[in-house]
Amino acid sequence: MNKIESSFLNKNQFGEDFLWGVSTAAFQIEGAHDSDGKGSSIWDVFTSQKGKIKNGHHALTACDFYNTYQDDINLINELNIPNFRFSISWPRIMPTGVHPINQAGIDYYNKIIDSLLASGIEPWITLYHWDLPHALEVKGGWTNRESVSWFSDYVEVCIQYFGDRVKNWMVINEPSVFTGAGYFLGIHAPGRKGITNYLKAMHHVTLATAAGAKIIRERIPNANIGTTFSCTHIEPATDSAKDIEAAKRVDTLLNRTFIEPILGMGYPQKDLSVLKKLNNYIAPEDLDNLAFDFDFIGLQCYTREVVKSSILTPYIGAELVSAEKRNVISTDMGWEVYPPAMYHILKKFNEYDNIKKIIITENGAAFPDIVKNGKVHDIKRTHFIQDNLEQILKAKNDGLNVDGYFVWSLTDNFEWAEGYNARFGLIHVDFETQKRTIKNSGLWFKDFLS
Ligand code: NOJ
């Protein structure tokens, strides 16, 4: 390891109970899109449509984790990573989204769980990481109110088969992203657009988050139950009143809209008037069914956004000033490299007085990586992780609540609409041969965790 990759950071500074892990999601790594009875997901369908994914990439094989999971679990072990977050593919275990189950899919996840436990790695399951069964999308997907009961039945199945060994559960991953991109903008699966689809999906997903969590609580008394939110530090482009107001609306949409009902505060309709339209879909009994007392909240913070007022953008009256326009350093996602965002986000979410624990369930960066003589010198990624950890440590030393850090991601994988060009892994994947190469960032993390 060259000197510049070392850092003053030491795991012990974070305390003995601090959780260290790495995160993945089923659709992004598994491949085996139709193996052993798996049904189609909305992402299988979306990726098969022309022009949806950059460079025509698809995830038919992805990282082939379905077949190579044991090798990848060995790599997690080799990197000294004690916690592994992965998601269950709903259509792999319930091909049409509802009963009957697909036993081969259940067997597959049981093998993963057993293998992790045998290696001393703690499994952390995300129940929904965006791959809704296509058969349910045909019935309206998350825009259909029945989605709450479809999801509840699916959660029951997961608990029945995996709940005896898995303690750590996350109900829904980044609701603001998959409803915004998939139901309003149409740039993610299922490709729906418009405010009506978006608001219906938002409300049903929020109800499903609380409903799923309640089922886990009833069935697994000692479960550690969380759910994850995407969060972005927001700043106004100037100190004009217009930009400050615009930034406040974007902050409400991106950081508050999904978590506040879960925390029992209702939707932040006062600060974002379009949310008043939600009242068309909120049934009287819903008000008691939106909140849940989670054991932890997973925050996933990658960057900051700078916002200016814009009358051209409907509903939000704001636009983002891209990193490119601002001439700042960015990742392959076009996201500004701005580690202090992590500190600001921790401070902001610590202001809610009913969050018990905060775990950073994702953080990482996509940079172009090249394998040279069997090595990947991804110095930018190593620095990105170190700089974010410094911000977390600063937050911790300031007395803020933060209890864990999971890197996104174990290996390079299918980055949704971006395809395979955005590489986030601690481990490089050659997608032609499926060869894995531990990057220097992975070696640094291994050393840090040892
Ligand atoms: C958020 C999502 O949960 C994950 O699926 C995605 O790959 C990363 N962030 C990076 O964009």
Side-chain angles (χ1 to χ4, degrees):
M1 194 155 309
N2 86 45
K3 197 150 172 273
I4 202 155
E5 281 164 327
S6 67
S7 112
F8 79 92
L9 282 170
N10 176 326
K11 181 178 91 164
N12 298 331
Q13 295 165 305
F14 293 78
E16 253 183 41
D17 297 333
F18 199 83
L19 293 156
W20 299 99
V22 72
S23 290
T24 62
F27 190 77
Q28 296 179 268
I29 60 171
E30 285 180 358
H33 67 109
D34 62 355
S35 297
D36 303 329
K38 176 181 171 289
S40 271
S41 75
I42 52 175
W43 273 96
D44 289 308
V45 173
F46 193 72
T47 47
S48 71
Q49 291 164 4
K50 242 183 139 186
K52 302 290 188 193
I53 311 297
K54 267 197 193 156
N55 304 311
H57 288 172
H58 56 72
L60 300 178
T61 312
C63 307
D64 200 28
F65 185 80
Y66 187 75
N67 295 304
T68 64
Y69 69 88
Q70 188 55 59
D71 296 340
D72 283 348
I73 291 174
N74 294 345
L75 287 169
I76 303 172
N77 216 359
E78 195 180 323
L79 295 185
N80 298 321
I81 301 174
N83 295 286
F84 180 53
R85 174 180 173 220
F86 61 100
S87 75
I88 306 282
S89 157
W90 183 349
R92 198 178 286 292
I93 67 166
M94 297 173 92
T96 60
V98 296
H99 284 277
I101 57 150
N102 174 32
Q103 190 58 47
I106 303 274
D107 294 346
Y108 163 65
Y109 290 109
N110 273 328
K111 284 189 279 182
I112 292 182
I113 294 164
D114 290 343
S115 163
L116 288 168
L117 292 172
S119 299
I121 301 164
E122 201 50 38
W124 292 66
I125 286 185
T126 310
L127 287 162
Y128 186 78
H129 203 126
W130 306 0
D131 45 356
L132 188 79
H134 175 67
L136 298 181
E137 172 57 25
V138 172
K139 298 182 194 167
W142 287 110
T143 68
N144 184 335
R145 204 181 157 84
E146 267 191 77
S147 54
V148 182
S149 63
W150 300 328
F151 182 69
S152 300
D153 289 348
Y154 159 67
V155 174
E156 293 272 7
V157 169
C158 291
I159 288 163
Q160 181 186 344
Y161 290 98
F162 315 128
D164 56 332
R165 284 150 297 146
V166 177
K167 284 203 306 278
N168 308 295
W169 297 84
M170 283 149 286
V171 182
I172 300 266
N173 180 68
E174 293 198 350
S176 67
V177 176
F178 82 81
T179 56
Y183 289 82
F184 181 70
L185 298 172
I187 55 171
H188 273 193
R192 289 181 185 252
K193 288 186 184 161
I195 197 71
T196 305
N197 283 324
Y198 177 51
L199 293 175
K200 283 183 177 177
M202 175 188 294
H203 185 52
H204 301 145
V205 166
T206 305
L207 284 170
T209 308
K214 278 180 199 153
I215 296 169
I216 309 173
R217 180 72 81 230
E218 278 160 23
R219 303 278 186 273
I220 316 176
N222 304 324
N224 182 29
I225 310 172
T227 196
T228 72
F229 297 98
S230 145
C231 42
T232 305
H233 174 55
I234 303 295
E235 285 179 19
T238 70
D239 53 14
S240 74
K242 273 184 174 173
D243 286 349
I244 292 173
E245 280 305 309
K248 195 168 163 190
R249 289 191 296 275
V250 171
D251 177 56
T252 305
L253 181 69
L254 298 187
N255 293 321
R256 299 174 50 202
T257 295
F258 288 82
I259 196 172
E260 291 192 1
I262 290 289
L263 296 177
M265 302 161 71
Y267 293 106
Q269 294 176 321
K270 256 190 16 225
D271 290 324
L272 189 60
S273 57
V274 66
L275 297 179
K276 293 189 181 131
K277 290 182 194 277
L278 276 168
N279 297 346
N280 296 330
Y281 316 112
I282 302 178
E285 69 272 19
D286 291 355
L287 297 173
D288 292 333
N289 292 326
L290 284 168
F292 183 79
D293 187 19
F294 279 97
D295 299 315
F296 71 94
I297 292 295
L299 298 183
Q300 321 201 137
C301 172
Y302 287 85
T303 189
R304 78 166 159 184
E305 292 291 355
V306 170
V307 172
K308 68 174 190 191
S309 151
S310 157
I311 46 164
L312 300 176
T313 325
Y315 311 115
I316 187 93
E319 71 182 51
L320 306 180
V321 187
S322 68
E324 196 185 348
K325 273 199 192 138
R326 285 182 281 129
N327 226 339
V328 291
I329 297 169
S330 61
T331 68
D332 276 359
M333 298 294 283
W335 298 342
E336 181 184 4
V337 174
Y338 187 70
M342 181 63 89
Y343 181 85
H344 289 297
I345 282 295
L346 284 169
K347 202 162 164 53
K348 178 181 177 67
F349 282 80
N350 266 263
E351 277 157 21
Y352 291 116
D353 54 17
N354 47 354
I355 295 184
K356 287 187 188 148
K357 269 189 176 198
I358 291 177
I359 297 175
I360 302 300
T361 38
E362 283 185 27
N363 173 249
F367 291 114
D369 295 316
I370 300 161
V371 186
K372 231 181 176 174
N373 303 327
K375 291 196 161 59
V376 181
H377 293 281
D378 58 336
I379 189 81
K380 289 185 184 169
R381 182 174 296 99
T382 309
H383 282 165
F384 184 94
I385 295 173
Q386 290 171 343
D387 294 347
N388 274 272
L389 286 175
E390 277 177 25
Q391 296 293 325
I392 292 173
L393 190 57
K394 177 171 172 233
K396 221 175 148 53
N397 291 340
D398 286 356
L400 300 177
N401 162 4
V402 51
D403 298 286
Y405 178 83
F406 286 58
V407 177
W408 183 270
S409 182
L410 177 65
T411 57
D412 297 333
N413 58 46
F414 180 76
E415 178 55 31
W416 309 111
E418 301 299 312
Y420 294 102
N421 289 354
R423 293 179 175 271
F424 277 92
L426 294 174
I427 299 171
H428 181 274
V429 177
D430 175 331
F431 289 100
E432 299 288 314
T433 61
Q434 292 297 338
K435 182 172 165 36
R436 276 40 172 174
T437 306
I438 300 178
K439 300 179 191 176
N440 280 5
S441 57
L443 295 174
W444 175 79
F445 200 47
K446 168 186 173 146
D447 199 44
F448 173 80
L449 294 178
S450 65

